[in-house]
């Protein structure tokens, strides 16, 4: 359970302009409630939504010039900017 004080913490690494790296194994709950699992020792989670293997990163973020937040097209499910 997420709030279990005895649960082992997962280490997450944030990569600027890249994926989120998570020590595995992991389960990811998608927007539609689908659960996907990876038993690998570490996984890269896509944050740009360009990956053909979403939610897993396939390095698609490297193939295109990255746009700033003001130029980025909105993605379904994104939260509005809170400035």
């Amino acid at each position: 359970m997420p709030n279990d004080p005895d649960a082992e913490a997962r280490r997450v690494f944030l990569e600027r302009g890249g994926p989120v790296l998570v020590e595995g194994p992991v389960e990811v709950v998608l927007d539609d409630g689908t659960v996907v699992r990876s038993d690998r020792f570490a996984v890269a989670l896509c944050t740009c939504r360009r990956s053909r293997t979403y939610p897993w990163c396939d390095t698609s973020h490297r193939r295109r010039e990255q746009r700033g937040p003001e130029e980025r097209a909105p993605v379904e499910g994104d939260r509005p900017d809170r400035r």
Side-chain angles (χ1 to χ4, degrees), residues 8-77:
E8 187 174 325
R10 293 281 178 227
R11 186 165 292 179
V12 176
F13 299 89
L14 303 177
E15 300 252 338
R16 172 169 260 164
V20 174
L21 303 175
V22 182
E23 289 182 351
V26 298
E27 287 186 348
V28 178
V29 180
L30 301 176
D31 295 342
D32 65 0
T34 304
V35 177
V36 292
R37 180 179 171 89
S38 173
D39 291 319
R40 296 178 53 108
F41 68 92
V43 296
L45 297 176
C46 176
T47 58
C48 70
R49 293 195 178 243
R50 295 178 188 149
S51 175
R52 290 187 178 126
T53 60
Y54 186 83
W56 318 120
C57 178
D58 68 1
T59 68
S60 292
H61 61 275
R62 295 181 186 167
R63 293 187 205 109
R64 293 188 183 159
E65 181 179 321
Q66 295 193 2
R67 297 182 283 176
E70 62 281 349
E71 300 173 13
R72 192 176 131 235
V75 174
E76 186 178 330

